[in-house]
Amino acid sequence: MASRIEDYALLGDCETAALVSREGSIDWLCWPRFDSDACFAALLGTPEHGRWLIAPADADVRITRRYRGDTLILETDFETADGAVTVIDFMPPRDQASDVVRIVVGRRGRVVMRTELVIRFGYGCAVPWVTHLEDGTLRAIAGPDMLHLRTPVELCGRNLTTVGDFTVEEGDRVPFVLTYAPSCDPIPDPVDAEQALRDTERFWQDWIGHCNYDGPWADAVRRSLVTLKALTYLPTGGIVAAATASLPEQLGGIRNWDYRFCWLRDSTFTLQALMNAGFYEEANAWRGWLLRATAGRPEQLQIMYGIAGERRLLEWEADWLPGYEGARPVRIGNAASSQLQLDVYGELMDALHQARRGGLGANEAGWQLQRSLLAHLETVWDQPDEGIWETRGGRQPFTFSKVMAWVAADRAIKSAEHFGMEGPVERWKDLRRRIHQDVCANGYDRELGSFVQSYGSKLVDASLLLLPVVGFLPAHDPRIAGTVAAVERQLLKDGFVQRYDTGRVEDGLPPGEGSFLACSFWLVDAFVLQGRHDEAEALFERLLALRNDLGLLSEEYDAKAGRLVGNFPQAFSHIALVNSAFNLSRNAQAAKQRSNGESGGGA
């Protein structure tokens, strides 16, 4: 059985990622990319589906762990009756190949250690052919994939598992280097584990040195930024929503999705977090990914793409995997990629506008794309869609989707007015006015005193908290105040915000999920904009307390079980944390930026 979601640590080399349990088992690793097949899939099954354990042979052990400063170098201390060791785990920045390096360091006494390596390519279904080469290297091959393990520890095969027992004394440093390469390629050169450790530490220290946040939550902000960097696919600048697939939003449930892709809905929030923190190179790379991925016919705009801009993200089920704590089906790929979500037009227009405002410079090709997207949106904005939460219960006239259509027109106008971009501004102003009037007439319920999830509904949706953030209406407008109050009444459960009431909204799935953490951070931002600073800070501190011992957050939180749920770690949660910290520390900087300090641009 896999560990609790919150008991995992993240390793990464900015092209893929691994999850390591407190007990020293790497239970998830996809090679060579985030979205490749997993060679360790015990996270969604059992050890027989692939994992790599290094731990004391004695089960009676005390475990503590930490990241080394603001890096992605994990140090896990194991203390037994006979002594103490530290296992240092990391993935070096790529050179010739991709590696996982593990160094066992003797700190006290004498500890008997054990390693168990179970390689299963293809998400746990393909057993490789394993051989020992003349130089002691262990090689595993199956189809296109090849792994090499180099270590001074003597290894042997037993029941399709590579095992090794060794003893570590004070002062010993025992290295293990696992390397991936395509099976058709030559064997990669050996990696010096100690030099790789120094290089990796220097890489992360140099990178985080660009962070300019100096507020009261600096440690949490820096850890979130390091996590965001780790979820970035360096060759393209794309940022995956999470490192995992099919971790359940409800323990034992069927809301299990693959999040190893890039969502347009995250675009503006991501740019804000990166630019505000001083990471303009990453922000520019993310904008470049956006422009390449979305290039093409505007009616073919998708809500998500692959890390290199791939469009075909076919969803299928790995039926041989029992799922995390029995949550089935295990889904690979994501069928929501083919949904119609009108909000993404506004997200993309807003992101590219904010990039110009943030100093990334104008992009003529990007502007031509924006004009064509808006021309298409003019013809479809009033249609129903699946909405920001990717419901599978049929299309509806979602209020937030219409608001984001308004954002698309508003940002086009502002780009023309502020940056001299050419376009039919008067026509766009008319479109902006018509959408604003339509939303206020049909998306607002006077009896409830609130905007609602969809036209004609009596229910609210956490996305409505973003209306003042995107500038649709000012935070002090009575309709916004009523909406925030309605969200608090309907969706604030056990101190945290749900996306919507899954028991009352027909979304095509059985009811039940955790509280979506980004939505709770949005409530923090709404409180700040309303001047409710004490309430905002109290909620922010409650959210920080949900992070695991390494500062990581998943997608959602199950308050009744006291568990993190959903895919892990979740970029959206960490992005929201960063932006809320800036809002609290710098007078709603991130929230006011997005609306350009202006609200209610209906005319």
Side-chain angles (χ1 to χ4, degrees):
M1 180 176 175
S3 295
R4 298 185 307 171
I5 292 171
E6 58 267 31
D7 284 343
Y8 282 98
L10 175 72
L11 308 179
D13 63 2
C14 300
E15 295 192 37
T16 191
L19 294 190
V20 189
S21 72
R22 288 179 57 87
E23 294 74 27
S25 179
I26 298 179
D27 288 346
W28 181 255
L29 174 58
C30 302
W31 250 334
R33 306 191 335 171
F34 291 105
D35 57 352
S36 299
D37 288 11
C39 61
F40 300 143
L43 179 69
L44 301 178
T46 69
E48 286 69 33
H49 294 108
R51 64 113 174 225
W52 183 17
L53 173 71
I54 297 181
D58 186 352
D60 186 10
V61 60
R62 179 174 175 269
I63 305 172
T64 57
R65 61 182 182 170
R66 67 207 159 268
Y67 282 120
R68 180 180 292 188
D70 295 320
T71 76
L72 217 61
I73 299 169
L74 178 69
E75 298 177 333
T76 305
D77 297 332
F78 296 96
E79 296 193 21
T80 73
D82 299 320
V85 300
T86 297
V87 177
I88 303 172
D89 292 326
F90 61 97
M91 297 185 72
R94 289 200 190 180
D95 184 12
Q96 182 184 10
S98 182
D99 309 283
V100 173
V101 180
R102 316 188 75 179
I103 304 173
V104 184
V105 181
R107 295 191 293 113
R108 176 176 56 81
R110 189 171 183 270
V111 181
V112 177
M113 301 289 294
R114 181 172 181 80
T115 182
E116 296 179 0
L117 177 64
V118 184
I119 302 170
R120 297 290 184 269
F121 295 113
Y123 297 104
C125 70
V127 179
W129 186 259
V130 179
T131 56
H132 288 268
L133 306 182
E134 291 183 0
D135 64 356
T137 299
L138 181 131
R139 181 177 65 187
I141 293 180
D145 301 305
M146 177 171 63
L147 295 184
H148 295 91
L149 177 62
R150 292 181 172 98
T151 179
V153 172
E154 186 174 344
L155 304 171
C156 66
R158 189 177 305 155
N159 298 323
L160 301 179
T161 300
T162 299
V163 300
D165 297 301
F166 58 104
T167 300
V168 177
E169 299 182 352
E170 184 176 345
D172 289 346
R173 297 179 71 91
V174 182
F176 295 78
V177 180
L178 187 66
T179 303
Y180 175 88
S183 60
C184 59
D185 284 1
I187 297 175
D189 295 334
V191 170
D192 183 311
E194 300 293 345
Q195 183 61 49
L197 176 60
R198 291 188 291 270
D199 293 343
T200 302
E201 184 170 16
R202 187 181 309 112
F203 169 83
W204 287 108
Q205 288 176 340
D206 290 347
W207 186 81
I208 199 62
H210 292 90
C211 180
N212 62 19
Y213 178 83
D214 56 0
W217 299 283
D219 288 345
V221 168
R222 288 198 301 268
R223 177 50 54 191
S224 290
L225 289 166
V226 166
T227 303
L228 187 58
K229 175 67 172 176
L231 296 175
T232 301
Y233 185 62
L234 186 62
T236 66
I239 301 173
V240 295
T244 55
S246 271
L247 288 182
E249 296 173 4
Q250 180 184 40
L251 296 172
I254 69 168
R255 294 174 183 260
N256 318 314
W257 318 109
D258 191 345
Y259 272 20
R260 298 169 299 156
F261 308 113
C262 309
W263 267 255
L264 294 193
R265 76 173 182 206
D266 303 358
S267 300
T268 308
F269 288 116
T270 303
L271 276 170
Q272 282 184 302
L274 291 170
M275 291 191 297
N276 285 338
F279 295 100
Y280 276 79
E281 182 177 337
E282 283 73 17
N284 194 47
W286 173 241
R287 182 182 68 167
W289 177 88
L290 284 171
L291 290 172
R292 293 191 303 274
T294 58
R297 296 178 62 180
E299 65 269 25
Q300 294 179 330
L301 187 70
Q302 297 185 183
I303 70 165
M304 72 179 83
Y305 296 86
I307 55 180
E310 297 89 349
R311 296 173 178 242
R312 189 176 296 113
L313 310 177
L314 300 178
E315 184 178 301
W316 56 279
E317 297 177 7
D319 56 10
W320 60 88
L321 289 172
Y324 180 84
E325 294 190 12
R328 301 186 72 180
V330 172
R331 294 185 177 92
I332 308 299
N334 201 312
S337 59
S338 62
Q339 288 186 349
L340 173 65
Q341 292 182 26
L342 295 174
D343 64 287
V344 298
Y345 289 88
E347 291 290 354
L348 183 57
M349 295 288 288
D350 197 12
L352 297 178
H353 177 66
Q354 299 300 334
R356 293 189 186 98
R357 292 187 70 241
L360 293 185
N363 184 297
E364 185 60 32
W367 179 243
Q368 293 304 317
L369 171 64
Q370 288 180 262
R371 287 188 56 172
S372 65
L373 289 172
L374 191 55
H376 175 66
L377 186 62
E378 286 183 80
T379 68
V380 299
W381 71 268
D382 57 350
Q383 296 181 11
D385 69 337
E386 274 92 2
I388 185 176
W389 303 127
E390 299 159 17
T391 59
R392 300 191 177 196
R395 295 180 178 179
Q396 299 182 51
F398 286 105
T399 300
F400 184 72
S401 296
K402 310 305 182 191
V403 168
M404 293 308 294
W406 174 91
V407 168
D410 181 73
R411 300 317 190 251
I413 295 164
K414 287 182 169 63
S415 290
E417 293 176 343
H418 298 171
F419 301 103
M421 313 302 285
E422 294 185 359
V425 174
E426 293 305 315
R427 194 177 83 214
W428 292 341
K429 286 183 177 180
D430 179 65
L431 174 65
R432 181 176 66 176
R433 177 188 55 78
R434 287 188 288 113
I435 297 175
H436 200 277
Q437 291 176 344
D438 184 78
V439 172
C440 291
N442 299 298
Y444 181 77
D445 185 281
R446 294 185 180 277
E447 182 179 320
L448 190 64
S450 169
F451 286 94
V452 290
Q453 183 182 51
S454 59
Y455 288 6
S457 173
K458 289 289 185 181
L459 303 176
V460 297
D461 181 310
S463 64
L464 300 171
L465 293 170
L466 298 176
L467 266 58
V469 174
V470 301
F472 186 78
L473 285 171
H476 55 76
D477 188 288
R479 291 167 291 183
I480 294 299
T483 300
V484 174
V487 168
E488 292 182 81
R489 287 194 307 270
Q490 291 189 21
L491 300 181
L492 192 60
K493 307 294 184 183
D494 302 307
F496 303 102
V497 180
Q498 297 178 316
R499 292 188 290 185
Y500 54 89
D501 188 339
T502 60
R504 300 173 68 189
V505 172
E506 178 51 56
D507 64 1
L509 296 164
E513 67 172 5
S515 297
F516 196 80
L517 294 177
C519 295
S520 294
F521 285 112
W522 295 347
L523 184 58
V524 170
D525 301 337
F527 285 163
V528 172
L529 288 171
Q530 291 183 327
R532 300 161 65 181
H533 198 277
D534 289 345
E535 292 173 88
E537 187 168 323
L539 177 54
F540 187 73
E541 292 287 356
R542 288 204 304 276
L543 287 162
L544 291 187
L546 302 182
R547 297 174 301 150
N548 73 0
D549 56 320
L550 298 172
L552 302 178
L553 287 170
S554 67
E555 177 188 16
E556 299 183 3
Y557 179 69
D558 184 333
K560 290 185 172 55
R563 296 280 305 276
L564 290 177
V565 292
N567 285 298
F568 177 87
Q570 179 85 354
F572 211 26
S573 299
H574 286 281
I575 290 165
L577 185 158
V578 171
N579 286 328
S580 290
F582 273 101
N583 285 329
L584 283 164
S585 304
R586 302 184 183 178
N587 191 27
Q589 173 177 324
K592 291 179 179 178
Q593 278 175 324
R594 190 161 184 188
S595 64
N596 299 336
E598 305 166 16
S599 298

